[in-house]
Amino acid sequence: MEDTSVVQLHQNKPEDECPNLSLRPLDVSDIDAFMVWATDAKVARFCTWEPYTNKEDGLSFIKNTVVPHPWLRAICVEDRPIGTISVTSNSGNDKCRGELGYVLASKYWGRGIATRAVGMVAETIFDEWPHLERLEALVDVENLGSQRVLEKAGFQREGVLRKYVVLKGRSRDMVMFSLLSTDHRPT
Amino acid sequence: MEIELSKISLRPFKLEDADDFFLFAGDDQFTMNLRWKTLTSKQEALDHIKDVCIPHPWRRSICIDDRSIGFVSIFPFSGEEDKFKANFGIGVAVKYWGHGIATRAARMAVSQFFVDFPEVVRLEAFVDVENLGSQRVVEKAGFQKEGVLRKYAYVKGKLRDLVLYSFLSTDFHAAQAEAD
């Protein structure tokens, strides 16, 4: 028999590897968990923020942005936060639209967790916000992992918006995805 | 009616344009795809010119022989994060449709705008999926179609699918370089 070394590919593990995925509000008592992903440059790469360097800034963010946010939840494994997922709201002629965003600690990447969290939000947000018709998400053209998350969660890719945002001083092309309240959502 | 496109010009609005403005903006067909309400009097036209057109960061009257027959508006977004972007809108009096006037005016406006606002990198135009005329105008004027945004916004109380187009300052400079 040949002696071969087998390269273990990092595949999506079965759902029962993460049985207790839940969403709940995030507050200041979660600061230590928050700092795990907030200080990680890999996580911050496609975000508007630079990695956090001190707890004070983390606490400010939680108090000033997280707590008053229209819809933000911690993504939890065994009730411990490993990231967040949020939906912004709009008013007037734009109230039909909400923008989805999420962030996940890099140690938990590649296991389908973000896809499941997105699916959980898609299941409830249209009921919680009856005025919402369209959930959209903008993903950097180079952020292939996040594009796959949204595709697997049933979002439709609508197009590439050129130089749509300025992120950390550079113009970025963004892919626009959307999920409508009337779209079939994978369960 | 033959229109010589060389007679098309752009200039800022004047109060004296009120009669002509009311002629085109008093028409439901003109305002159908705009957020504006159809004007119902010359006073409303005067008020609109005074309160909206004149203070606007970049709105021009589309003129034939210096008479106003439409508008083109480019609105830079506000805020530090978004001032590199602007929104494009255009309308021509219904009786002048079908002569290429809007396309000519759009091209003139885009060229002038990128000179006037050098910090703007991205000009975008949202067009209703059913508004094929306006789609042709922006396409012929050099905008690039990026995609259809489903159920994107309400216009006059109706939820619309909007086609998003963009014209970048780099598109403009590249076209200029080619022309030289």
Side-chain angles (χ1 to χ4, degrees):
Chain A
M1 207 146 35
E2 275 182 313
D3 205 20
T4 53
S5 62
V6 179
V7 175
Q8 192 77 29
L9 288 172
H10 204 174
Q11 297 171 7
N12 282 342
K13 296 183 183 160
E15 226 169 77
D16 57 14
E17 290 252 3
C18 288
N20 291 317
L21 193 67
S22 61
L23 303 182
R24 64 153 173 81
L26 184 84
D27 70 51
V28 290
S29 60
D30 296 313
I31 183 63
D32 291 328
F34 173 83
M35 292 302 280
V36 169
W37 71 80
T39 54
D40 187 342
K42 285 210 316 267
V43 172
R45 183 178 168 202
F46 292 114
C47 298
T48 53
W49 40 273
E50 295 293 348
Y52 283 68
T53 53
N54 67 74
K55 250 187 186 178
E56 289 316 307
D57 290 344
L59 287 166
S60 282
F61 176 75
I62 295 177
K63 276 188 277 212
N64 301 327
T65 301
V66 170
V67 168
H69 197 285
W71 206 98
L72 189 152
R73 301 285 182 273
I75 301 170
C76 296
V77 161
E78 313 288 345
D79 202 47
R80 281 177 298 104
I82 58 161
T84 60
I85 188 162
S86 60
V87 182
T88 61
S89 64
N90 290 297
S91 58
N93 287 314
D94 301 321
K95 66 180 194 267
C96 50
R97 229 166 50 236
E99 188 182 336
L100 176 76
Y102 48 85
V103 88
L104 194 66
S106 56
K107 162 175 157 176
Y108 292 92
W109 290 3
R111 301 191 209 174
I113 291 174
T115 304
R116 284 174 62 203
V118 170
M120 288 162 80
V121 172
E123 281 303 305
T124 76
I125 195 72
F126 294 110
D127 297 324
E128 282 188 42
W129 290 359
H131 57 274
L132 189 72
E133 305 273 352
R134 171 189 172 90
L135 188 58
E136 62 181 25
L138 288 159
V139 184
D140 196 291
V141 281
E142 290 182 8
N143 190 350
L144 301 178
S146 206
Q147 290 173 39
R148 273 194 298 271
V149 164
L150 295 169
E151 280 157 1
K152 285 192 289 181
F155 280 63
Q156 223 182 87
R157 187 184 171 114
E158 291 174 333
V160 176
L161 310 189
R162 303 178 301 155
K163 297 195 180 176
Y164 194 70
V165 294
V166 171
L167 190 73
K168 293 168 176 162
R170 291 168 63 219
S171 277
R172 304 301 302 168
D173 294 349
M174 303 292 276
V175 187
M176 173 70 91
F177 287 89
S178 73
L179 184 74
L180 303 186
S181 59
T182 48
D183 285 345
H184 167 71
R185 273 125 41 207
T187 44
Chain B
M1 169 172 48
E2 264 310 309
I3 306 286
E4 257 191 63
L5 293 178
S6 58
K7 290 187 173 190
I8 303 297
S9 60
L10 301 182
R11 61 156 171 77
F13 276 97
K14 306 183 286 206
L15 294 175
E16 293 76 18
D17 292 324
D19 282 328
D20 292 335
F21 196 87
F22 180 47
L23 267 182
F24 61 76
D27 185 342
D28 282 338
Q29 220 186 339
F30 178 88
T31 61
M32 199 171 70
N33 289 303
L34 301 173
R35 286 223 161 94
W36 315 5
K37 283 197 332 232
T38 307
L39 300 186
T40 58
S41 68
K42 190 190 154 184
Q43 184 59 48
E44 281 188 8
L46 208 50
D47 291 341
H48 191 111
I49 294 176
K50 190 162 53 83
D51 301 333
V52 180
C53 298
I54 290 174
H56 195 285
W58 206 98
R59 176 173 286 188
R60 297 288 181 268
S61 166
I62 300 171
C63 296
I64 291 181
D65 294 330
D66 204 47
R67 294 288 294 275
S68 181
I69 61 152
F71 79 95
V72 57
S73 261
I74 307 185
F75 207 118
F77 284 55
S78 52
E80 267 313 296
E81 288 174 357
D82 292 332
K83 62 184 191 187
F84 71 96
K85 292 203 280 198
N87 183 273
F88 177 92
I90 191 166
V92 166
V94 175
K95 80 184 229 201
Y96 285 103
W97 289 4
H99 296 278
I101 293 172
T103 304
R104 167 64 65 105
R107 285 209 193 105
M108 291 166 73
V110 168
S111 302
Q112 191 57 52
F113 178 79
F114 280 123
V115 170
D116 293 345
F117 283 81
E119 69 275 22
V120 171
V121 163
R122 174 185 166 89
L123 197 50
E124 36 183 49
F126 287 88
V127 185
D128 195 300
V129 274
E130 296 178 8
N131 188 350
L132 300 178
S134 286
Q135 288 171 36
R136 272 194 298 272
V137 166
V138 296
E139 280 164 18
K140 287 194 283 187
F143 282 72
Q144 256 188 57
K145 180 172 173 162
E146 290 176 334
V148 177
L149 308 190
R150 307 174 300 154
K151 295 193 178 174
Y152 192 72
Y154 288 97
V155 179
K156 295 219 165 85
K158 215 178 125 225
L159 194 55
R160 313 275 185 121
D161 292 350
L162 300 177
V163 189
L164 180 56
Y165 290 87
S166 70
F167 201 125
L168 303 187
S169 57
T170 43
D171 297 340
F172 171 62
H173 296 307
Q176 286 222 297
E178 261 188 49
D180 290 341

